[in-house]
Amino acid sequence: MKKVKIGFIGSGNMAKAVMKGLASSKMKAALTIYAYDTQKAVLAEVKKKYKAIPASSNEALVKGCDVIFLAIKPQAAAEVLEPLKGMFGQGRLIISIMAGMSVKKIQTFTGKTPVVRVMPNTPALVGEGACGYCASKEVSKKQLQNAENILDTFNAVKFKFQESRIDMVTAISGSGPAYFFYFAEAVIEAAKEDGFDAAAAKKLIAQTMIGAGRMMLDSEDAPEILRQRVTSKGGTTQKAIEEMDSKDMKKIIKDAVKAARQRSKELGR
Ligand SMILES: NC(=O)c1ccc[n+]([C@@H]2O[C@H](COP(=O)([O-])OP(=O)(O)OC[C@H]3O[C@@H](n4cnc5c(N)ncnc54)[C@H](OP(=O)(O)O)[C@@H]3O)[C@@H](O)[C@H]2O)c1
């Protein structure tokens, strides 16, 4: 059977997470990975780690591949895609992971090529990615199925949406890991101020986040119910929640999520 050729324009952090997923998946025997990046050291790294064949240029990569990942920074998109104008025929599928780059914008460079636009997140690096995606009307059923199989190699959770929802996905799960790191920073600082060992606090809170996330995924109950179960009357958790409520923490978090969504919208313009 003919192997599917998957090429990466840009082989930085997110591209590596995708390559890692592909290289360790059941699909690996049925595909060949190609990569291009302006950083030669990065190409050497992905060749060694994920058996990605370095292409001589973005042009050569597009010519030789069936599926093309756009994994460059959105600011670099015009400069990278302009010279490739007209090279993407109908048979090729583009999977873009660029934040804020609409299908319409991508197609101004590529023409009416099938595009699947994905908003991934960095936990993909450890095989725990969560993503939202949309597909342009040119994407065939078979191409969508292929794209979804690829997404499954680096995401534990994926949802298909209308493109208008991708800004909110960006605010929920794209930026989401940073919200939890921020929360962890505060917990670790409080522990340190109490003379507690920072390394132990880091592990305790990290595992607590994993455990809480696992409980949310496994349970039919809303997070509010799960929270209430940990909060006994007059206990320590109630005291902590009261302190958060007194500072309107929920509103702060809601405003932050809405600000991220708004910024994603602005970047897309
Ligand atoms: N990181 C996240 O949390 C996250 C989440 C969701 C989506 N994304 C999206 O994923 C994309 C990649 O992000 P990243 O964090 O992986 O960025 P990154 O690590 O900077 O990777 C981008 C790579 O592309 C290279 N590059 C620049 N110009 C190029 C060209 N003309 N041809 C080929 N390669 C070129 C860059 O090299 P130089 O360093 O020399 O410029 C860099 O190695 C972005 O569009 C971002 O919006 C990221």
Side-chain angles (χ1 to χ4, degrees), residues 125-145:
L125 286 162
V126 292
E128 294 283 352
C131 78
Y133 63 102
C134 64
S136 76
K137 60 180 187 311
E138 295 79 13
V139 176
S140 69
K141 261 191 171 164
K142 189 163 178 263
Q143 284 173 322
L144 184 62
Q145 186 60 61

Side-chain angles (χ1 to χ4, degrees), residues 22-182:
L22 287 171
S24 53
S25 75
K26 282 186 283 183
M27 291 173 74
K28 71 175 179 199
L31 56 88
T32 312
I33 302 174
Y34 291 83
Y36 184 71
D37 199 287
T38 38
Q39 307 270 350
K40 298 295 164 234
V42 167
L43 285 182
E45 183 193 342
V46 296
K47 183 179 176 195
K48 193 168 167 213
K49 286 189 177 160
Y50 314 118
K51 296 197 167 63
I53 300 169
S56 55
S57 64
N58 284 326
E59 286 83 349
L61 182 130
V62 174
K63 262 189 205 158
C65 289
D66 315 298
V67 178
I68 294 120
F69 262 89
L70 300 181
I72 39 166
K73 294 275 188 206
Q75 305 89 292
E79 186 196 328
V80 173
L81 294 176
E82 193 69 56
L84 304 174
K85 221 168 190 157
M87 285 188 61
F88 298 87
Q90 274 292 330
R92 291 192 175 86
L93 172 68
I94 290 176
I95 302 183
S96 170
I97 59 168
M98 291 186 290
M101 263 278 174
S102 68
V103 168
K104 195 172 162 198
K105 239 184 192 174
I106 293 167
Q107 288 184 333
T108 57
F109 298 107
T110 64
K112 292 284 175 201
T113 308
V115 178
V116 171
R117 180 183 165 197
V118 186
M119 175 42 62
N121 67 5
T122 49
L125 286 162
V126 292
E128 294 283 352
C131 78
Y133 63 102
C134 64
S136 76
K137 60 180 187 311
E138 295 79 13
V139 176
S140 69
K141 261 191 171 164
K142 189 163 178 263
Q143 284 173 322
L144 184 62
Q145 186 60 61
N146 283 342
E148 287 173 342
N149 290 343
I150 291 171
L151 294 183
D152 282 338
T153 68
F154 65 98
N155 289 289
V157 166
K158 67 175 190 321
F159 283 99
K160 184 166 179 276
F161 293 104
Q162 294 291 320
E163 186 167 24
S164 59
R165 291 285 180 215
I166 299 292
D167 291 317
M168 198 53 180
V169 173
T170 307
I172 298 169
S173 51
S175 301
Y179 310 157
F180 293 102
F181 296 139
Y182 188 77

